[in-house]
Amino acid sequence: MNVSPSDLPRSDFLRVLTERGFIHQCSDLAGLDAKAAAGEVVAYVGYDCTGPSLHVGHLLSIMMLHWLQQTGQKPIALMGGGTTRVGDPSGKDESRKILTLDQIAANKDSLKTVFSRFIRFGEAGRDAIMVDNAEWLAPLNYIDFLRDVGRHFSVNRMLSFDSVKTRLEREHELSFLEFNYMILQAYDFVELNKRYGCTLQMGGSDQWGNIVNGIDLGRRMGTKQLYALTCPLITTASGAKMGKTASGAVWLNADMKSPYEYWQFWRNTEDGDVARFLKLFTVLPMAEIARLAALGGAEINEAKKVLANEATALLHGRAAADEAAETARKTFEEGALAESLPSVAVPLAVLEAGLGVLSAFGPDHAGLVGSTSEARRQVKGGGLKVNDATVTDERAVLTLDDLTAEGVIKLSFGRKKHVLLRIA
RNA sequence: GGAGGGGUGCCCGAGUGGUUAAAGGGGACGGACUGUAAAUCCGUUGGCUUAGCCUACGUUGGUUCGAAUCCAACCCCCUCCA
């Protein structure tokens, strides 16, 4: 986005988001700026309950809610308990699986925990609230809904939306169920306006069409002016989608991605992304970020550590971040064995009897590789190490003799993934 | 309801009876080089108790010494017509 000095936002909210690189598109920057300057913005972001945890991809919008609150406005985290029953076709080639109500409820509970790390909930004016759209979507009566809301939607226009168009062009099925998603999301916006005076919906750039639909519906149903604000889709400097690795998404819930792994994820950021990520994913002052971004060559590693520390501290707390940093320092900089590496318990009897290396690395124990066959291949490629010695014989057996002085066996897959085997 | 086209491994996409666990590409992972980066080069990419065995080309049967490839039925998707 090109912003000339003359049209820099006056409100803290938009100024912060602009300088930190959160803004992709806005329906009316000047109008929203005026409202924000007056401190009367109530804004929401919706999260569908399709999985048990949010992932780094969601982090941008969560950070927007964070800054919204920090700059004196009121955030709403909307859980899509209702819309998840329908399924958003945006950015999807194929229909989502239809989740059972139980799954949706379980997912919803599991997602909730993360938000309180980033925004403060409560009863007071600026405190954040969390609501579930099942509250108003579930009781809807079909005929009434069609007459009150459906009549404002033109199928001609709905067909022109990217989410619909790509499905049609690629000749993939788009069920009527999913086709209705945008109507429900639009209705959410209007309903949140009615209930909480919400006038701004934020989200990823892929949500633009859905959000604008809500604004249009609002106008037709007589609400005050609504606004849309989207953040960019984050890809890494080399073009890959962020946060998707072979081992799965980078989850925010600690039980699905440990603080240490989360720290490592940020530590391995590409050079070209460091400054951008510091602005987006930490709350460090801009001046400090500018200093870190100026580091060149190998020194940029210091900036990456700061990024990892700050991002991990935001999500998992300062203590967990410090511990992760210390584990990483011992493991990578001293080559020493860090007690706090992820560990897996093995019964004493198993080691006494002898444990095959392939099995030790496989899913039954360390879980560093997905199968015995993969372990076998990795041995051929020199990718597995036991106590820092490359495994050369796939038939090798681990015994009590392999325990280090610390009483563990260190298994490594590649140079970065380590697991300690401990006697149970 | 009618006519035609199609369903292959993580994804895209070859393959129309015999070394086909299935070309090629992408992605991913490992190795080398580095700075726990990128780029580059090399390797790997179904599972297992791995000189072998098992499972796999929408599903279920059939033909054959032998099938992803031929036949039948069924399921699903797409296009056009009604």
Side-chain angles (χ1 to χ4, degrees):
Chain A
M1 226 182 90
N2 277 326
V3 180
S4 61
S6 60
D7 53 39
L8 268 178
R10 289 176 298 131
S11 64
D12 287 346
F13 174 55
L14 285 182
R15 187 177 45 72
V16 169
L17 288 197
T18 303
E19 70 188 12
R20 300 188 84 102
F22 280 94
I23 297 180
H24 179 252
Q25 260 181 305
C26 180
S27 58
D28 174 10
L29 213 47
L32 180 60
D33 192 36
K35 280 190 80 77
E40 49 191 37
V41 174
V42 178
Y44 91 96
V45 180
Y47 299 90
D48 272 348
C49 311
T50 47
S53 169
L54 297 174
H55 52 78
V56 268
H58 296 107
L59 214 45
L60 271 204
S61 63
I62 298 177
M63 289 304 289
M64 289 205 290
L65 289 177
H66 169 85
W67 289 117
L68 180 83
Q69 186 168 50
Q70 291 304 307
T71 54
Q73 327 286 336
K74 183 181 182 73
I76 299 176
L78 178 70
M79 306 308 289
T83 33
T84 306
R85 298 187 200 173
V86 170
D88 185 2
S90 301
K92 291 272 165 190
D93 267 0
E94 291 165 19
S95 304
R96 290 176 191 273
K97 280 189 212 132
I98 299 206
L99 298 171
T100 65
L101 296 187
D102 285 348
Q103 281 175 311
I104 293 173
N107 287 341
K108 194 180 95 183
D109 287 341
S110 178
L111 297 189
K112 279 180 177 173
T113 52
V114 163
F115 287 95
S116 55
R117 291 284 185 186
F118 296 87
I119 46 181
R120 186 188 67 250
F121 289 94
E123 303 295 323
R126 294 288 148 69
D127 286 347
I129 55 171
M130 178 175 283
V131 285
D132 181 347
N133 61 16
E135 223 177 281
W136 54 85
L137 293 182
L140 284 177
N141 171 291
Y142 193 52
I143 301 289
D144 290 343
F145 185 70
L146 286 181
R147 286 178 61 93
D148 296 342
V149 177
R151 68 191 173 109
H152 296 301
F153 283 83
S154 143
V155 170
N156 309 46
R157 226 168 75 74
M158 287 168 77
L159 289 174
S160 74
F161 278 84
D162 272 352
S163 55
V164 172
K165 218 165 46 177
T166 54
R167 283 279 188 94
L168 296 180
E169 279 167 4
R170 292 196 192 183
E171 305 186 343
H172 284 137
E173 196 218 30
L174 175 71
S175 71
F176 183 66
L177 177 76
E178 297 170 286
F179 188 55
N180 278 272
Y181 185 91
M182 64 172 90
I183 296 180
L184 296 181
Q185 185 169 337
Y187 181 69
D188 277 348
F189 199 175
V190 174
E191 188 66 24
L192 283 169
N193 176 266
K194 214 184 294 173
R195 293 184 178 216
Y196 305 103
C198 175
T199 52
L200 169 65
Q201 181 180 175
M202 305 188 290
S205 54
D206 58 329
Q207 291 298 312
W208 180 256
N210 286 340
I211 299 175
V212 167
N213 264 330
I215 296 179
D216 283 350
L217 179 63
R219 197 179 54 244
R220 289 165 206 257
M221 292 181 73
T223 67
K224 279 189 232 148
Q225 181 63 54
L226 302 177
Y227 300 89
L229 182 64
T230 57
C231 56
L233 185 69
I234 300 293
T235 52
T236 66
S238 42
K241 260 188 219 156
M242 186 179 156
K244 298 274 185 190
T245 67
S247 49
V250 178
W251 302 109
L252 300 185
N253 285 17
D255 53 351
M256 294 179 68
K257 189 87 175 170
S258 71
Y260 172 72
E261 291 174 293
Y262 190 73
W263 193 94
Q264 281 297 323
F265 168 74
W266 293 107
R267 174 63 182 83
N268 286 313
T269 298
E270 291 177 31
D271 288 9
D273 291 326
V274 173
R276 197 162 50 110
F277 285 4
L278 280 167
K279 287 188 225 167
L280 293 170
F281 299 110
T282 75
V283 294
L284 290 174
M286 290 298 285
E288 174 67 2
I289 292 174
R291 185 187 70 76
L292 291 166
L295 296 174
E299 283 193 322
I300 200 165
N301 281 322
E302 292 311 310
K304 291 184 190 183
K305 286 179 205 166
V306 174
L307 172 62
N309 285 338
E310 295 305 310
T312 306
L314 265 180
L315 178 64
H316 295 297
R318 183 61 63 182
D322 288 345
E323 189 184 343
E326 179 58 14
T327 302
R329 193 185 65 76
K330 278 192 187 152
T331 307
F332 289 98
E333 292 178 26
E334 290 178 13
L337 197 145
E339 282 291 304
S340 51
L341 279 174
S343 70
V344 168
V346 177
L348 179 63
V350 169
L351 265 193
E352 278 175 340
L355 175 61
V357 257
L358 299 183
S359 163
F361 279 91
D364 291 343
H365 296 284
L368 285 166
V369 296
S371 68
T372 322
S373 298
E374 192 189 343
R376 192 170 275 120
R377 277 185 239 115
Q378 291 299 348
V379 168
K380 291 195 183 105
L384 301 186
K385 286 182 188 149
V386 172
N387 293 330
D388 298 315
T390 303
V391 177
T392 51
D393 178 8
E394 62 181 55
R395 264 174 265 215
V397 171
L398 301 182
T399 65
L400 293 174
D401 295 338
D402 293 300
L403 290 172
T404 62
E406 293 84 358
V408 298
I409 300 176
K410 182 180 174 191
L411 303 183
S412 309
F413 174 44
R415 293 203 294 161
K416 297 183 191 172
K417 281 161 267 179
H418 310 279
V419 163
L420 301 181
L421 287 190
R422 291 175 191 279
I423 301 297

